[in-house]
Coordinates of all heavy atoms in Angstrom, one line a residue:
V385 N -43.1 -38.8 -1.8 CA -43.7 -39.1 -3.1 C -43.4 -40.6 -3.4 O -42.3 -41.1 -3.4 CB -43.0 -38.2 -4.2 CG1 -43.7 -38.6 -5.5 CG2 -43.2 -36.8 -3.8
F386 N -44.5 -41.3 -3.6 CA -44.5 -42.8 -3.9 C -44.7 -43.0 -5.4 O -45.4 -42.2 -6.0 CB -45.5 -43.5 -3.1 CG -45.3 -43.6 -1.6 CD1 -45.9 -42.6 -0.8 CD2 -44.6 -44.6 -1.1 CE1 -45.7 -42.6 0.5 CE2 -44.4 -44.6 0.3 CZ -45.0 -43.6 1.1
D387 N -44.0 -44.0 -5.9 CA -44.2 -44.3 -7.3 C -45.6 -44.7 -7.7 O -46.0 -44.6 -8.9 CB -43.1 -45.3 -7.8 CG -43.4 -46.7 -7.1 OD1 -44.1 -46.7 -6.1 OD2 -42.9 -47.7 -7.7
G388 N -46.4 -45.1 -6.7 CA -47.7 -45.5 -7.0 C -48.6 -44.3 -7.3 O -49.8 -44.5 -7.7
G389 N -48.2 -43.1 -7.0 CA -48.9 -41.9 -7.3 C -49.4 -41.2 -6.0 O -49.9 -40.1 -6.1
D390 N -49.1 -41.7 -4.8 CA -49.6 -41.0 -3.6 C -48.6 -39.9 -3.2 O -47.3 -40.1 -3.3 CB -49.7 -42.0 -2.5 CG -50.9 -43.0 -2.7 OD1 -51.8 -42.6 -3.4 OD2 -50.8 -44.1 -2.1
L391 N -49.1 -38.8 -2.8 CA -48.3 -37.7 -2.2 C -48.7 -37.6 -0.7 O -49.9 -37.3 -0.4 CB -48.6 -36.4 -2.9 CG -48.3 -36.4 -4.4 CD1 -48.7 -35.0 -5.0 CD2 -46.8 -36.7 -4.7
V392 N -47.8 -37.9 0.2 CA -48.1 -37.9 1.6 C -47.3 -36.8 2.3 O -46.2 -36.6 2.1 CB -47.7 -39.3 2.2 CG1 -48.0 -39.3 3.7 CG2 -48.5 -40.4 1.5
V393 N -48.1 -36.1 3.2 CA -47.5 -35.1 4.0 C -47.5 -35.5 5.5 O -48.6 -35.9 5.9 CB -48.2 -33.7 3.8 CG1 -47.7 -32.7 4.8 CG2 -48.0 -33.2 2.4
V394 N -46.4 -35.5 6.1 CA -46.3 -35.8 7.6 C -45.9 -34.6 8.3 O -44.9 -34.0 8.0 CB -45.3 -36.9 7.8 CG1 -45.3 -37.3 9.3 CG2 -45.7 -38.2 7.0
R395 N -46.7 -34.2 9.3 CA -46.5 -33.0 10.1 C -45.9 -33.4 11.5 O -46.6 -34.2 12.2 CB -47.7 -32.2 10.2 CG -48.3 -31.7 8.9 CD -49.6 -30.9 9.0 NE -50.1 -30.5 7.7 CZ -50.9 -31.2 6.9 NH1 -51.2 -32.4 7.3 NH2 -51.2 -30.7 5.8
E396 N -44.8 -32.8 11.8 CA -44.2 -33.2 13.1 C -45.0 -32.6 14.2 O -45.1 -33.2 15.3 CB -42.7 -32.7 13.1 CG -42.0 -33.2 14.3 CD -40.5 -32.9 14.2 OE1 -40.1 -32.2 13.3 OE2 -39.7 -33.3 15.1
Y397 N -45.5 -31.4 14.0 CA -46.3 -30.7 15.0 C -47.6 -30.3 14.3 O -47.7 -29.3 13.7 CB -45.6 -29.5 15.6 CG -44.2 -29.8 16.2 CD1 -43.1 -29.5 15.5 CD2 -44.1 -30.5 17.4 CE1 -41.8 -29.8 16.0 CE2 -42.8 -30.8 17.9 CZ -41.7 -30.4 17.1 OH -40.5 -30.8 17.6
P398 N -48.7 -31.2 14.4 CA -49.9 -30.9 13.6 C -50.5 -29.6 13.8 O -51.0 -29.0 12.9 CB -50.8 -32.1 14.0 CG -49.8 -33.1 14.5 CD -48.7 -32.4 15.2
D399 N -50.7 -29.2 15.1 CA -51.3 -27.9 15.4 C -52.7 -27.8 14.8 O -53.1 -26.9 14.1 CB -50.4 -26.7 14.9 CG -50.9 -25.4 15.5 OD1 -51.6 -25.5 16.5 OD2 -50.5 -24.4 14.9
G400 N -53.5 -28.8 15.1 CA -54.9 -28.8 14.6 C -55.1 -29.5 13.3 O -56.3 -29.7 12.9
E401 N -54.1 -29.8 12.6 CA -54.2 -30.5 11.3 C -53.9 -32.0 11.5 O -53.4 -32.4 12.5 CB -53.2 -29.8 10.3 CG -53.5 -28.4 10.0 CD -52.5 -27.8 9.0 OE1 -51.3 -27.6 9.4 OE2 -52.9 -27.6 7.9
E402 N -54.2 -32.7 10.4 CA -53.9 -34.1 10.4 C -52.4 -34.3 10.4 O -51.7 -33.7 9.7 CB -54.5 -34.8 9.2 CG -56.0 -34.8 9.2 CD -56.6 -35.6 8.0 OE1 -55.8 -36.3 7.4 OE2 -57.8 -35.4 7.7
K403 N -52.0 -35.3 11.2 CA -50.5 -35.5 11.3 C -50.0 -36.2 10.1 O -48.9 -35.9 9.6 CB -50.2 -36.4 12.5 CG -48.7 -36.6 12.8 CD -48.5 -37.3 14.1 CE -47.1 -37.4 14.5 NZ -46.5 -36.1 14.9
I404 N -50.8 -37.1 9.5 CA -50.4 -37.8 8.3 C -51.6 -37.6 7.3 O -52.7 -37.9 7.6 CB -50.2 -39.3 8.5 CG1 -49.1 -39.5 9.6 CG2 -49.8 -40.0 7.2 CD1 -49.0 -40.9 10.1
E405 N -51.3 -37.1 6.1 CA -52.3 -36.7 5.2 C -51.9 -37.1 3.8 O -50.7 -36.8 3.4 CB -52.7 -35.3 5.3 CG -53.8 -34.8 4.3 CD -54.0 -33.4 4.4 OE1 -53.3 -32.6 5.1 OE2 -54.9 -32.9 3.6
I406 N -52.7 -37.8 3.0 CA -52.5 -38.0 1.6 C -53.1 -36.8 0.9 O -54.3 -36.7 0.8 CB -53.1 -39.3 1.1 CG1 -52.5 -40.5 1.9 CG2 -52.9 -39.5 -0.3 CD1 -53.1 -41.9 1.5
V407 N -52.2 -35.9 0.4 CA -52.7 -34.7 -0.1 C -53.1 -34.8 -1.6 O -53.6 -33.9 -2.2 CB -51.6 -33.6 0.0 CG1 -51.4 -33.3 1.5 CG2 -50.3 -34.0 -0.6
G408 N -52.7 -35.9 -2.2 CA -53.0 -36.1 -3.6 C -52.6 -37.5 -4.1 O -51.8 -38.2 -3.5
S409 N -53.2 -37.9 -5.2 CA -52.8 -39.2 -5.8 C -53.0 -39.1 -7.3 O -53.9 -38.5 -7.8 CB -53.8 -40.3 -5.2 OG -53.4 -41.5 -5.7
I410 N -52.1 -39.7 -8.0 CA -52.1 -39.7 -9.4 C -52.3 -41.2 -9.8 O -51.5 -42.0 -9.5 CB -50.8 -39.1 -10.0 CG1 -50.6 -37.7 -9.6 CG2 -50.7 -39.3 -11.5 CD1 -49.3 -37.0 -9.9
D411 N -53.3 -41.4 -10.6 CA -53.7 -42.7 -10.9 C -52.7 -43.5 -11.8 O -52.5 -44.7 -11.6 CB -55.1 -42.7 -11.6 CG -56.2 -42.2 -10.6 OD1 -56.0 -42.3 -9.4 OD2 -57.2 -41.7 -11.1
S412 N -52.2 -42.7 -12.7 CA -51.2 -43.4 -13.7 C -49.9 -43.7 -13.1 O -49.1 -44.4 -13.7 CB -51.0 -42.5 -14.9 OG -50.5 -41.2 -14.5
G413 N -49.6 -43.2 -11.9 CA -48.4 -43.4 -11.2 C -47.4 -42.3 -11.5 O -47.5 -41.5 -12.5
I414 N -46.3 -42.3 -10.7 CA -45.3 -41.2 -10.8 C -44.0 -41.9 -11.2 O -43.6 -42.9 -10.5 CB -45.2 -40.4 -9.5 CG1 -46.5 -39.8 -9.1 CG2 -44.1 -39.4 -9.6 CD1 -46.5 -39.1 -7.8
S415 N -43.3 -41.3 -12.1 CA -42.0 -41.8 -12.5 C -40.8 -41.0 -11.9 O -39.7 -41.6 -11.7 CB -41.8 -41.8 -14.1 OG -42.0 -40.4 -14.5
A416 N -41.0 -39.7 -11.6 CA -40.0 -38.9 -11.0 C -40.6 -37.7 -10.4 O -41.7 -37.2 -10.8 CB -38.9 -38.5 -12.0
A417 N -40.0 -37.1 -9.3 CA -40.5 -35.9 -8.7 C -39.3 -35.2 -8.1 O -38.3 -35.8 -7.6 CB -41.5 -36.3 -7.6

Side-chain angles (χ1 to χ4, degrees):
V385 181
F386 293 90
D387 65 339
D390 291 337
L391 303 177
V392 178
V393 172
V394 179
R395 298 177 180 89
E396 189 171 6
Y397 306 105
D399 194 17
E401 298 179 288
E402 294 184 15
K403 189 175 185 68
I404 303 170
E405 181 183 2
I406 300 178
V407 295
S409 181
I410 299 175
D411 296 336
S412 60
I414 300 175
S415 59

